[in-house]
Structures are given as structure tokens and as C-alpha cells.
């Protein structure tokens, strides 16, 4: 069976990292946090409240795609937490040598704003949420993925994702 990468996507504050970690734990798949792939210049820009451009994101997405490919070439299924806001960004990730499937966490801007207000220790300021929502292109019907409401507890989201994607906890099968 083909190697799979689940990309948990959505705007900042949607719960990507939490859901990705829990999916990785449930499936026993390695997890990558896309924020760790950003060049220093991108982090500085976002920390200053300046939205990234497509050109800023290109090397970041290429590095993430290459990580997915390296793990796939080693036979590893993976989970990635990545905003993947635009179809063009997801197209870059789909170039990896794996079956890249998306889990789009979506919900009300009010709930996301609430979450961002209580989050600490992240370089992405809440002031950039509007720019992310403006850039967001939801999954298209021809994209391999599902859209999931971010309001329930993470454990419930993970259970729903596993069920809807036909994955089995700790089996490693995709």
C-alpha cells in the first residue's frame, strides 16, 4: 500500500498542532510541525505582524514537501501540521512521493480569535488571523481530504478523522 501523509491544515489557532500530535500518537506515525521548517526571515516577518507572501512561503513549502518525500522513501507514513491555506500550497505538498491527504480544521472566526487570545509562546500574532482567513482556500471537491469542525474536543476530532478517512488507530495502515 502507498505511504500516506496526513496534512492537518487550517488557520493559526485552529488546533492543527494538537490534532496532528494526537493523530500521530493514535497511528504511531511521526509528526512534523511545519512552523519548524520556516526560515528565520519568515519567523521575523510574522513576529513583526507582517503577513507572508507566496514567495516567502515557497521555500518553506518545498522543505516540507522534501521532508515528506524523505520519510515516504523510508516507508514511513507521517502527519504534518501545516496551514496549507491555498490550493497552490497544497499542490506543492502533493508533489511529495506519498499519498498526501488533507484534514482541514475549520470553524468560526470568533472561536479561533478566542483561542488565539489565550495562546502563548507562538511567534504568530493574533493580528495576522484576518490575513490568513483572506488567503484561505477551502479544499476543493477534487482534493484528497476532509473538512472537520474545530469546535469539538481534540480527542473527538481525532476519532472522527480516523473514522472518516478509514484509518485505524496504531495499525499504521492507510
Amino acid at each position: 500500500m502507498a505511504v500516506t501523509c496526513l496534512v492537518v491544515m487550517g488557520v493559526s489557532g485552529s488546533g492543527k498542532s494538537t490534532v496532528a500530535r494526537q493523530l500521530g500518537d493514535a497511528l504511531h506515525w511521526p509528526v512534523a510541525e511545519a512552523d519548524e521548517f520556516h526560515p528565520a526571515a519568515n519567523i521575523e516577518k510574522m513576529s513583526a505582524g507582517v503577513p507572508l507572501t507566496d514567495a516567502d512561503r515557497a521555500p518553506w513549502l518545498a522543505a516540507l514537501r522534501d521532508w515528506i518525500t524523505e520519510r515516504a522513501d523510508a516507508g514511513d507514513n507521517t502527519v504534518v501540521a501545516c496551514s496549507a491555506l491555498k490550493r497552490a500550497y497544497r499542490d506543492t505538498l502533493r508533489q511529495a512521493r506519498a499519498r498526501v491527504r488533507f484534514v482541514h480544521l475549520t470553524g468560526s472566526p470568533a472561536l479561533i480569535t478566542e483561542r488565539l487570545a489565550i495562546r502563548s509562546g507562538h511567534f504568530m500574532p493574533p493580528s495576522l488571523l484576518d490575513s490568513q482567513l483572506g488567503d484561505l482556500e477551502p479544499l476543493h471537491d477534487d482534493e484528497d481530504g476532509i473538512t472537520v469542525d474545530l469546535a469539538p474536543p481534540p480527542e473527538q476530532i481525532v476519532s472522527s478523522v480516523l473514522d472518516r478517512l478509514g484509518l485505524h488507530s496504531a495499525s499504521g495502515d492507510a
Side-chain angles (χ1 to χ4, degrees):
M1 185 167 281
V3 175
T4 296
C5 174
L6 295 181
V7 176
V8 181
M9 62 169 281
V11 298
S12 185
S14 62
K16 298 180 299 291
S17 297
T18 301
V19 170
R21 277 192 305 273
Q22 288 189 17
L23 281 168
D25 288 347
L27 295 164
H28 294 228
W29 293 2
V31 178
E33 172 55 62
D35 286 343
E36 295 173 8
F37 290 76
H38 273 296
N42 284 8
I43 293 171
E44 289 171 20
K45 206 171 179 180
M46 288 183 284
S47 295
V50 179
L52 297 179
T53 65
D54 290 350
D56 294 327
R57 288 185 176 107
W60 166 66
L61 292 163
L64 196 54
R65 175 203 61 214
D66 294 347
W67 181 87
I68 295 166
T69 291
E70 288 170 13
R71 297 310 297 249
D73 287 350
D76 296 333
N77 295 307
T78 54
V79 181
V80 173
C82 177
S83 55
L85 297 175
K86 295 183 180 182
R87 183 180 182 126
Y89 305 165
R90 297 189 295 271
D91 289 344
T92 298
L93 298 176
R94 271 192 287 272
Q95 293 169 359
R97 286 190 298 270
R99 179 182 181 191
V100 180
R101 305 179 80 185
F102 295 92
V103 176
H104 180 192
L105 300 178
T106 187
S108 76
L111 177 56
I112 296 167
T113 299
E114 270 181 44
R115 289 180 174 186
L116 286 172
I118 60 172
R119 181 167 82 171
S120 63
H122 196 278
F123 59 81
M124 175 85 168
S127 62
L128 290 181
L129 177 60
D130 286 342
S131 74
Q132 284 203 328
L133 290 168
D135 282 348
L136 179 64
E137 297 173 5
L139 289 174
H140 294 85
D141 291 342
D142 64 335
E143 292 186 271
D144 188 356
I146 59 172
T147 300
V148 180
D149 182 7
L150 60 79
E155 298 78 16
Q156 188 176 333
I157 293 170
V158 168
S159 178
S160 172
V161 167
L162 293 172
D163 184 53
R164 291 177 60 196
L165 293 178
L167 299 172
H168 304 286
S169 182
S171 72
D173 294 330

